[in-house]
Amino acid sequence: QLERVRTPQDDQDAAAKMSAEQGAIVISEGVLELLWRGLINKLMRRLVDGICRIECFTQEGLALMNLDFQVLEQELKRLTTIRPIPETDFPNGFVKAYYITSEAEVLAWVKQHKEYTAEHCRGLVMHGVGASMKKKARKDLEDKVDQLLRFRS
């Protein structure tokens, strides 16, 4: 009588059966990486969604946000095998845009960075460089930004 040779699929099937009996779910490395990438993408976008709604920024607050992003990136490196951590430039670039001090620079930034939504750009203008402008000047800047954003969602 011939003995059947065990295959890697047999090991996976056995692991899945044992995990199912214990209430756990077995997820392949490829699927796990896809899940992590999707989660990280959503997380970075939600961070920018929140940042664009903050009405009052200080230099110290911006510096602390940059530090928070560094800690988040380190924790994601600890939790996942993905290197480099994707999408970290998205919130970092947005926070750095709050250091822009002139109307011309912020208009150029909005024009160049099409990856950010209209809501993100409006928040940046209103609560960033526009926060220190007089009402009429800020309204004029917002109108210029709206012209740049008219085809963006």
Side-chain angles (χ1 to χ4, degrees), residues 3 14 23 27 37-39 41 44 55 60 70 81 92 96 100 116 118 120 125 131 136 143-144 147-148:
E3 189 173 311
I27 300 174
R37 286 185 182 279
L39 176 70
N41 179 285
M44 298 305 171
E55 293 183 12
E60 295 83 12
Q70 289 173 9
T81 58
N92 285 324
K96 287 178 182 160
I100 294 173
Y116 297 99
H120 296 155
V125 169
K136 170 85 171 98
D143 289 344
K144 290 176 186 176
Q147 284 296 328
L148 291 173

Side-chain angles (χ1 to χ4, degrees), residues 9-53:
Q9 184 62 46
D10 292 334
D11 291 337
Q12 287 178 349
D13 292 343
K17 183 179 177 186
M18 187 169 57
S19 293
E21 290 169 358
Q22 296 172 354
I25 299 171
V26 176
I27 300 174
S28 73
E29 282 295 317
V31 171
L32 189 58
E33 182 173 327
L34 283 173
L35 288 171
W36 271 114
R37 286 185 182 279
L39 176 70
I40 291 168
N41 179 285
K42 284 288 189 197
L43 174 63
M44 298 305 171
R45 301 215 177 280
R46 293 303 151 255
L47 286 170
V48 172
D49 288 349
I51 292 167
C52 78
R53 291 182 180 99

